[in-house]
Amino acid sequence: MDAEELLHTWLEGSALRHSTRAEYTREIGSFLTWCRRQSVDALTARPKDIAAWAAERHLAPYLDGRPFNGPDALAHLAQHHPEAARSHDRRISALTQYYEAAFDHGIITLPPNLTALRSGVTRPTGAKNRLDRMERATLFAVIGGWGPHHSKHYQRDRLAAWLLLEGLRPAQVIRVDKRHLYPQPDGTWQVRAPDDHEAVGKQFVLEPLTGAAIKDYLKVRPEPADPSDHALLLNDIRRPLQSRWVNKVIGQMCATHPLLADREPPVTADTIAHTGFWDTPTPG
């Protein structure tokens, strides 16, 4: 099956809305055309190829002469042109699902990790800020299915998502201090979330799924590059993560399922933090 055949086979059998299938046909079709003209095999394209396509076809007018080559360009896009950033992230979501389909069909052995190409733009003001029951159930499945073929740090990524569902805000998630994780005799965990002044803040008693994710991550967590750093979640160079990372990884995780990828407004880390693990019982 070639790249064009995969696109049509995947979309015909997908759960995406008709309007979204049309949009994905147009957007991914544009990428496949670009690949042919550049003599790039679309099915084995690298993130840098996708970045080159995005810059040439869509982003150049918004970058004010900057090359599209890293976090600074994405930050500029998110800050000064948020609508263009949201459209870009949606294209990355479409390609993420396309490569997931290629993996599921056995055409490729590993989907490209496109997390670094996401702007992680925040939720528009006034947008719906909680997932509904079905969306939340889908999110649980997406977190559980996020594995080593998605990210070499999949245990860390899962833990970040579970911490958001505990009600920690994105800025708190990246500042959780390993010294303030407290395993309890009954098998649960407590964590103190740092406040805006880096002081030890509110206590959270974590759900069993989050506790299990902590144990999984601690088995593989590297020692920090700087021994004075105590952040729980570390990046590729063993340093604390930056705030925009949380939205990027959540966007990439949600991009793997049509119900979440197709959602308007897009699912962000803040959306998940407002959602929580369970519905609040209705009094009465």
Side-chain angles (χ1 to χ4, degrees), residues 31 34-35 40 42 44-56 58-59 68 88 91-92 95-96 99 112-114 117:
F31 174 64
W34 182 90
C35 285
V40 171
T44 58
R46 296 162 294 178
K48 72 175 187 178
D49 299 317
I50 294 168
W53 161 73
E56 180 181 321
H58 302 287
L59 301 182
F68 185 54
H88 166 72
R91 293 184 198 101
I92 299 303
L95 283 168
T96 296
Y99 285 113
N113 183 351
L114 305 183
L117 295 183

Side-chain angles (χ1 to χ4, degrees), residues 4-68:
E4 291 279 357
E5 291 172 327
L6 171 65
L7 174 60
H8 297 297
T9 299
W10 162 54
L11 289 177
E12 286 172 6
S14 78
L16 292 165
R17 293 196 300 260
H18 177 76
S19 59
T20 304
R21 290 199 299 269
E23 178 186 350
Y24 282 14
T25 298
R26 181 179 67 253
E27 297 286 15
I28 299 175
S30 165
F31 174 64
L32 300 185
T33 299
W34 182 90
C35 285
R36 285 195 298 272
R37 291 175 178 171
Q38 299 294 324
S39 300
V40 171
D41 180 359
L43 291 171
T44 58
R46 296 162 294 178
K48 72 175 187 178
D49 299 317
I50 294 168
W53 161 73
E56 180 181 321
R57 293 294 180 89
H58 302 287
L59 301 182
Y62 305 103
L63 292 174
D64 299 332
R66 292 172 173 79
F68 185 54

Side-chain angles (χ1 to χ4, degrees), residues 100 110-115 145-152 154 157 256:
E100 285 286 318
L110 193 69
N113 183 351
L114 305 183
T115 303
W146 189 256
H149 72 279
H150 295 106
S151 167
K152 65 180 179 180
Y154 68 95
D157 302 347
T256 63

Side-chain angles (χ1 to χ4, degrees), residues 8 43 48 60 70 125 128 153 156-157 181 183 191 226 272 276:
H8 297 297
L43 291 171
K48 72 175 187 178
T125 302
K128 185 174 73 169
H153 302 296
R156 179 199 64 191
D157 302 347
L181 292 173
V191 61
D226 181 347
I272 296 172

Side-chain angles (χ1 to χ4, degrees), residues 29 35 54 71 92 109 115 131 138 141 153 184 189 208 227 239 243 254 257 262 271 273 279:
C35 285
I92 299 303
T109 57
T115 303
L131 302 181
T138 304
H153 302 296
Q184 302 300 301
W189 289 71
R239 295 188 180 279
S243 58
C254 290
H257 195 286
D262 195 28
T271 308
D279 286 332

